[in-house]
Amino acid sequence: MAYFLGIDLGTSALKGLVFDQTGELQGTASADYPLSSPRPGFSEQEPMHWQEAADKVIKTLIQQLPKLQKELIGISFSGQMHSLVLLDEENRAIRPAILWNDVRTTKQCQAIMASFGEEIKAITKNVALEGFTLPKILWVQEHEPEHWQQVRHMMLPKDYLAFWLTGNYSMDYSDAAGTLLLDIEKKCWSEAILGKFAIASDLLPPLFESAAPVGQMRKELQEAFGFEQEVTIYAGGADNACAALGSGIIAEGVGMVSIGTSGVFLFFEEAQEVDYQGDLHLFRHAIKDKLYSMGVTLAAGNSLSWYRDTFAPNQSFQELLSAISEVKPGAEGLLFTPYIVGERTPHTDSQIRGSFIGIDTRHREKHFSRAVLEGITFSLKDSQMIMEERAQRKFTQIVSVGGGAKNAEWLQMQADIFNAEMLTLSTEQGPGMGAAMLAAIGSGIYPDAAACVNAFVKYSKAIAPIPENVAKYQEIYAIYRTVYQQTAPICHALAQIE
């Protein structure tokens, strides 16, 4: 039996998942690490903590499954996107990694768009946002020139682990697409962008397909872990790309909605010439020569958590949502916008804030609870509508993962608001499963992604939209779309007073 290890390097923890060649999960382990915020808006981590966590997870999995020492074939990764890792000539981290959720780079983003914005959009198909890697590089150039002078290698978090395991530098196309340095059509580092921002090309790693091998595990590590065989390390992919693969998003017409702290609406893109002019993210998929488009709601699950913690702190989420089935679609005239920390898609507005609109004396907790779920889902539909209106995309099925997949009423709500059949995974393992699948594909056990998905990905019963609910939600959503323009001037004015 062949085994494959997927390592998911997240923001707060690293998780390892072992699958056998039939797609069955055989073992899991995780290790936490700290997040540092030395100043407001700063978010950093020590790369060495990722390495220590990976070491611990691999050893734990070997203890659980001793046969891995003879039968583990390959390791691959999913990783947090955009986060900047800088190494010196001795391959030591020069400073803590600047993470994807760090927001110190607003001025750098503005400078990029003012001086090179149209070129950036044409080359990368994205706009400069604080999360991306290029603005972080410019911040280091400007604020830490002594560190910039020491830089000999730049990479993203998962690639730091691949380097630790193999001694080779690498980055896959799906992660590279989130740096604002990749020519997304030509699949190479953009000479124009590197030249404009004084970044030497030899600082960047070679580019690989996600399922491509980047090297064998170093002999000293192989011996330390007790592996009797060579273990191949595969490039891996960005977390959203791996989550899409692990959800079976490998064909056009199928989307994915993921509701965690933030929310993602993602669509597989077959056509290479698609261009949303930066209104959606457009990235390389973990599947060779494929793309995916993606919109983001900044406070999806976060809106529900805020609502619960503020108004019903002693209730579980199950208790909080237990009565929403008693409320008809539309929450009897109550509307919520989930802009409590600003918004990304489609507004890219850090100062907009959320609202409840239409409150009257008949509204009770169950109405507010339903309105919050509807508002989160409407916000994600904004991304769907850009795809439909700008690129004539049609959705036949949408896979729901994360918090939105855990409540039957919310799943029906998604089916009705998105007007598509909703699927959930029988066993949801997140991006780490997609990473393990990349190792399985790269090893040749499966000839292609479709064969691997058939083995690994299983769905529960589909949920179909209810036509009368669809019609009602279309009317309400049309009203929802007008709220931003009405409330933005007020929120911006209040922000100036603060």
Side-chain angles (χ1 to χ4, degrees):
M1 180 70 74
Y3 293 90
F4 304 96
L5 170 58
I7 294 178
D8 179 27
L9 194 164
T11 309
S12 59
L14 181 142
K15 184 177 182 181
L17 299 94
V18 175
F19 290 83
D20 66 26
Q21 66 190 56
T22 70
E24 293 297 318
L25 180 67
Q26 296 296 327
T28 65
S30 63
D32 298 337
Y33 32 71
L35 180 71
S36 173
S37 183
R39 292 174 55 185
F42 284 31
S43 183
E44 300 182 346
Q45 276 175 341
E46 292 288 348
M48 185 57 67
H49 291 160
W50 306 329
Q51 179 180 319
E52 292 168 351
D55 182 82
K56 178 180 178 181
V57 162
I58 294 172
K59 289 176 178 175
T60 301
L61 289 168
I62 291 171
Q63 289 176 349
Q64 292 177 14
L65 299 163
K67 54 191 169 185
L68 293 179
Q69 292 180 317
K70 292 183 178 181
E71 299 177 10
L72 181 68
I73 300 299
I75 299 174
S76 192
F77 314 92
S78 66
Q80 48 167 295
M81 296 179 70
H82 314 307
S83 304
L84 175 64
V85 182
L86 301 174
L87 303 185
D88 64 13
E89 195 166 0
E90 303 299 322
N91 295 310
R92 294 172 300 202
I94 295 167
R95 66 171 331 281
I98 304 176
L99 299 196
W100 64 275
N101 56 353
D102 186 291
V103 293
R104 75 183 74 179
T105 57
T106 300
K107 290 183 179 179
Q108 286 72 31
C109 292
Q110 292 170 344
I112 291 168
M113 295 310 295
S115 66
F116 210 60
E118 292 306 311
E119 292 87 348
I120 285 284
K121 286 197 291 185
I123 296 167
T124 72
K125 309 303 182 187
N126 290 285
V127 298
L129 297 171
E130 288 85 351
F132 285 80
T133 315
L134 175 58
K136 304 180 197 305
I137 295 171
L138 302 191
W139 187 92
V140 174
Q141 288 178 341
E142 180 180 346
H143 292 275
E144 298 178 352
E146 71 285 359
H147 285 156
W148 181 249
Q149 291 300 318
Q150 300 176 50
V151 175
R152 295 297 177 269
H153 303 283
M154 292 189 293
M155 58 190 65
L156 298 180
K158 74 174 193 343
D159 309 316
Y160 180 83
L161 291 184
F163 172 74
W164 166 60
L165 289 172
T166 66
N168 299 331
Y169 307 108
S170 64
M171 190 182 300
D172 82 294
Y173 291 108
S174 71
D175 235 355
T179 64
L180 282 187
L181 298 171
L182 183 75
D183 187 318
I184 198 167
E185 291 181 348
K186 296 179 180 178
K187 295 177 65 177
C188 63
W189 298 119
S190 169
E191 294 181 5
I193 297 173
L194 297 180
K196 171 67 177 177
F197 298 106
I199 302 169
S201 60
D202 61 2
L203 301 182
L204 294 166
L207 292 163
F208 290 82
E209 298 293 344
S210 294
V214 299
Q216 302 296 319
M217 181 179 287
R218 293 187 291 121
K219 287 296 183 184
E220 55 267 40
L221 282 179
Q222 181 182 333
E223 293 173 2
F225 290 127
F227 291 120
E228 299 178 19
Q229 74 289 2
E230 285 192 336
V231 178
T232 303
I233 312 303
Y234 298 90
D239 52 6
N240 282 307
C242 287
L245 175 60
S247 300
I249 311 301
I250 61 169
E252 204 158 69
V254 181
M256 183 184 81
V257 59
S258 174
I259 299 176
T261 301
S262 60
V264 167
F265 193 98
L266 182 151
F267 185 68
F268 180 92
E269 297 281 0
E270 184 70 43
Q272 297 295 301
E273 67 274 9
V274 63
D275 188 354
Y276 292 102
Q277 294 294 310
D279 291 337
L280 293 172
H281 300 317
L282 186 67
F283 296 133
R284 285 273 161 195
H285 205 316
I287 301 169
K288 184 178 180 180
D289 293 332
K290 302 303 180 184
L291 304 167
Y292 67 93
S293 53
M294 186 180 84
V296 177
T297 291
L298 289 181
N302 192 24
S303 288
L304 182 59
S305 296
W306 163 82
Y307 166 67
R308 193 274 305 268
D309 295 345
T310 304
F311 298 105
N314 297 319
Q315 292 188 41
S316 67
F317 286 112
Q318 184 177 0
E319 291 170 331
L320 183 68
L321 304 180
S322 62
I324 62 173
S325 60
E326 301 170 8
V327 182
K328 294 179 181 179
E332 295 188 26
L334 184 59
L335 191 63
F336 172 72
T337 60
Y339 306 145
I340 60 174
V341 296
E343 190 54 301
R344 174 74 60 80
T345 308
H347 306 300
T348 314
D349 187 341
S350 63
Q351 294 184 327
I352 189 65
R353 289 297 178 264
S355 58
F356 281 106
I357 296 174
I359 302 171
D360 73 18
T361 56
R362 74 180 183 277
H363 290 138
R364 295 294 180 263
E365 181 184 272
K366 60 186 179 182
H367 298 91
F368 284 90
S369 298
R370 186 173 187 102
V372 169
L373 299 189
E374 290 178 341
I376 294 167
T377 312
F378 285 144
S379 179
L380 290 161
K381 186 174 179 66
D382 282 341
S383 297
Q384 179 190 13
M385 294 306 296
I386 294 173
M387 297 170 189
E388 291 187 354
E389 294 172 352
R390 296 273 297 279
Q392 288 74 56
R393 299 297 182 239
K394 297 298 180 185
F395 292 83
T396 56
Q397 293 180 322
I398 298 172
V399 181
S400 183
V401 299
K406 294 178 171 62
N407 180 279
E409 289 294 331
W410 199 355
L411 279 170
Q412 184 63 61
M413 192 183 300
Q414 292 172 62
D416 297 337
I417 290 175
F418 298 139
N419 192 18
E421 189 175 69
M422 301 302 298
L423 299 174
T424 59
L425 298 169
S426 299
T427 303
E428 186 180 325
Q429 298 296 342
M433 177 168 148
M437 292 169 68
L438 288 172
I441 295 166
S443 73
I445 291 287
Y446 293 97
D448 53 31
C452 192
V453 165
N454 286 338
F456 276 70
V457 182
K458 306 289 190 302
Y459 299 111
S460 300
K461 183 180 178 181
I463 297 172
I466 299 170
E468 54 266 34
N469 291 354
V470 171
K472 186 168 185 180
Y473 275 131
Q474 286 175 343
E475 292 183 65
I476 299 167
Y477 176 66
I479 298 169
Y480 173 91
R481 295 183 86 175
T482 70
V483 174
Y484 173 80
Q485 298 299 335
Q486 302 295 322
T487 59
I490 298 170
C491 294
H492 296 170
L494 288 171
Q496 295 302 313
I497 295 172
E498 291 180 1

